[in-house]
């Protein structure tokens, strides 16, 4: 399906588009909802200027800033994530680079989590080099998370402190180290439908394993604080397009689902989503574990009916 044909799908009725996406999910992807949770292991004072991010040192956002958590703190949070029903645990740090000492702390934590808690461990630690990836792989890391954020065309309007090419290079190094890749982006930053389609097509070209879709939560103090919020319908249509393009990949709904979708949340799973982040985000609280567990149960019931 070429770009023009994908654009024409937007002319379908909302429900018809959802039906087409759900057919693709059933035919090519999993009917098990993959749940993951994250640990904000190092927060704030980031040198990068991503216009959406509360952790950028370029903006005044009044978040709690702290250095890398200890190995024991990271492991303790993994236990809480497992109790939420998640099977994957992501260790996330602010900044584009980590020191070797920081990486070693994370490597020790990964090893202990796998041996004693039994979760699959992912990490999002910025632009690592080959040596760093090999260290983490040896510790047991299974997947690396590194979003491309948006289309190559729109990226310079969102980030200027590092390039799109640098992000792609990092993804390729993670692949070279034998890691799976989780990469997606954020919608609602002022991009066009063409930008969203281009992002999905490029993720298909990169052959990533998991695709998180975040919906922008405008943060006071960032350049995007006053941007007009996209509609729930447009967010769900975007997810449907991603499923039609990324047929067999895990598509995961992440930040923004609670604040924007509200009563529409179940519809993202009829639009092709088969993964969800639970337990909160980097600087934003999520819903209660009980609410998300109830949602998952209802989605399984819906999938059986259809």
């Amino acid at each position: 399906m070429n770009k023009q044909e994908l654009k024409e799908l937007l002319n379908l009725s909302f429900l018809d588009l959802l039906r087409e996406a759900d057919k693709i999910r059933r035919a090519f992807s999993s009917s098990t909802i993959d749940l993951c949770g994250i640990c904000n292991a190092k927060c704030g004072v980031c040198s990068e200027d991503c216009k959406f991010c509360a952790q950028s040192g370029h903006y005044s956002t009044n978040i709690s800033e702290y250095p890398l958590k200890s190995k024991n703190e990271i492991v303790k949070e993994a236990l809480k994530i497992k109790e939420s029903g998640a099977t994957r645990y992501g260790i996330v740090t602010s900044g584009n680079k980590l020191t070797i000492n920081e990486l070693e702390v994370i490597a020790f934590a990964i090893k202990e989590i796998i041996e004693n808690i039994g979760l699959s461990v992912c990490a999002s630690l910025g632009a690592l080099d080959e040596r760093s990836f090999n260290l983490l792989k040896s510790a047991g890391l299974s997947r690396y998370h590194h979003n491309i954020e948006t289309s190559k065309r729109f990226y310079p309007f969102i980030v200027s402190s590092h390039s799109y090419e640098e992000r792609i290079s990092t993804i390729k190094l993670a692949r070279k180290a034998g890691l799976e890749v989780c990469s997606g982006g954020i919608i609602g930053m002022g991009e066009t439908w063409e930008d969203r389609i281009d992002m999905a097509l490029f993720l298909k070209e990169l052959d990533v394993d998991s695709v998180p879709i975040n919906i922008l939560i405008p943060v006071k103090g960032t350049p995007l604080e006053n941007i007009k919020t996209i509609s729930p319908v447009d967010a769900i249509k975007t997810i449907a397009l991603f499923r039609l393009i990324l047929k067999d990949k895990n598509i995961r709904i992440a930040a923004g689902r609670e604040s924007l979708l509200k009563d529409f949340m179940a519809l993202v799973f009829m639009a092709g989503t088969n993964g969800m982040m639970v337990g909160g985000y980097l600087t934003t609280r999520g819903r209660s574990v009980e609410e998300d567990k109830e949602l998952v149960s209802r989605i399984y019931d819906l999938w059986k009916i259809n």
Side-chain angles (χ1 to χ4, degrees):
M1 196 174 293
N2 61 38
K3 193 186 298 188
Q4 183 57 41
E5 290 170 326
L6 289 165
K7 287 181 181 179
E8 289 171 1
L9 288 173
L10 294 170
N11 296 323
L12 292 175
S13 73
F14 179 65
L15 291 179
D16 283 345
L17 181 60
L18 264 59
R19 290 189 190 99
E20 291 302 313
D22 193 47
K23 285 179 187 175
I24 294 297
R25 179 194 60 77
R26 290 172 182 276
F28 293 95
S29 192
S30 172
S31 290
T32 299
I33 298 174
D34 184 33
L35 301 180
C36 70
I38 62 172
C39 166
N40 191 0
K42 179 183 178 183
C43 186
V45 202
C46 179
S47 62
E48 306 307 300
D49 65 355
C50 308
K51 291 182 179 179
F52 54 81
C53 188
Q55 300 191 71
S56 172
H58 293 260
Y59 319 124
S60 298
T61 58
N62 297 316
I63 61 167
S64 297
E65 299 171 347
Y66 48 82
L68 183 69
K69 292 179 179 178
S70 69
K71 179 193 70 127
N72 289 341
E73 287 176 304
I74 295 170
V75 172
K76 185 177 179 181
E77 288 193 34
L79 186 58
K80 291 181 181 179
I81 290 296
K82 185 171 184 179
E83 291 169 352
S84 75
T87 57
R88 289 189 173 277
Y89 178 59
I91 301 170
V92 185
T93 57
S94 64
N96 202 31
K97 305 284 183 182
L98 291 181
T99 67
I100 187 62
N101 289 338
E102 289 173 323
L103 283 166
E104 286 175 349
V105 169
I106 292 169
F108 284 129
I110 291 168
K111 185 174 177 61
E112 187 167 332
I113 291 164
I114 292 169
E115 291 179 352
N116 298 334
I117 298 178
L119 286 171
S120 295
V121 185
C122 313
S124 180
L125 312 173
L128 302 184
D129 58 22
E130 189 171 352
R131 177 189 174 193
S132 300
F133 277 124
N134 288 334
L135 171 68
L136 297 171
K137 172 70 174 173
S138 297
L141 189 72
S142 60
R143 180 178 287 179
Y144 198 69
H145 172 80
H146 203 62
N147 281 343
I148 63 171
E149 308 300 7
T150 187
S151 71
K152 183 176 181 179
R153 175 178 51 256
F154 191 61
Y155 190 84
F157 295 97
I158 300 300
V159 184
S160 66
S161 53
H162 59 270
S163 69
Y164 201 73
E165 287 73 20
E166 180 182 296
R167 301 198 75 79
I168 306 311
S169 175
T170 300
I171 288 171
K172 290 180 177 178
L173 283 175
R175 276 275 192 233
K176 185 178 179 181
L179 296 167
E180 294 182 352
V181 172
C182 176
S183 183
I186 306 171
I187 60 173
M189 298 191 291
E191 76 284 347
T192 64
W193 280 106
E194 186 171 5
D195 288 315
R196 295 173 196 169
I197 291 170
D198 282 349
M199 176 168 66
L201 288 171
F202 191 53
L203 290 168
K204 180 180 181 180
E205 182 181 328
L206 289 173
D207 194 27
V208 301
D209 302 282
S210 175
V211 181
I213 298 177
N214 301 275
I215 304 164
L216 180 71
I217 303 172
V219 176
K220 187 175 181 180
T222 64
L224 299 182
E225 66 173 309
N226 295 316
I227 197 165
K228 183 179 178 181
T229 306
I230 65 172
S231 70
V233 168
D234 279 357
I236 296 166
K237 286 171 69 175
T238 301
I239 290 165
L241 282 176
F242 269 62
R243 172 55 68 200
L244 290 165
I245 295 167
L246 297 155
K247 291 182 169 60
D248 60 344
K249 306 303 180 184
N250 180 279
I251 295 179
R252 187 183 310 277
I253 186 69
R257 63 182 174 92
E258 299 90 346
S259 57
L260 182 77
L261 297 176
K262 298 187 172 90
D263 293 340
F264 289 86
M265 200 178 302
L267 287 178
V268 300
F269 293 92
M270 303 310 295
T273 300
N274 61 342
M276 182 168 66
M277 188 177 289
V278 297
Y281 311 101
L282 293 176
T283 58
T284 306
R285 294 180 63 182
R287 301 199 313 170
S288 71
V289 169
E290 290 72 24
E291 286 179 294
D292 279 338
K293 284 183 176 179
E294 184 178 353
L295 174 63
V296 169
S297 178
R298 289 179 177 178
I299 296 308
Y300 282 136
D301 288 340
L302 276 174
W303 282 353
K304 288 174 186 175
I305 292 170
N306 289 281

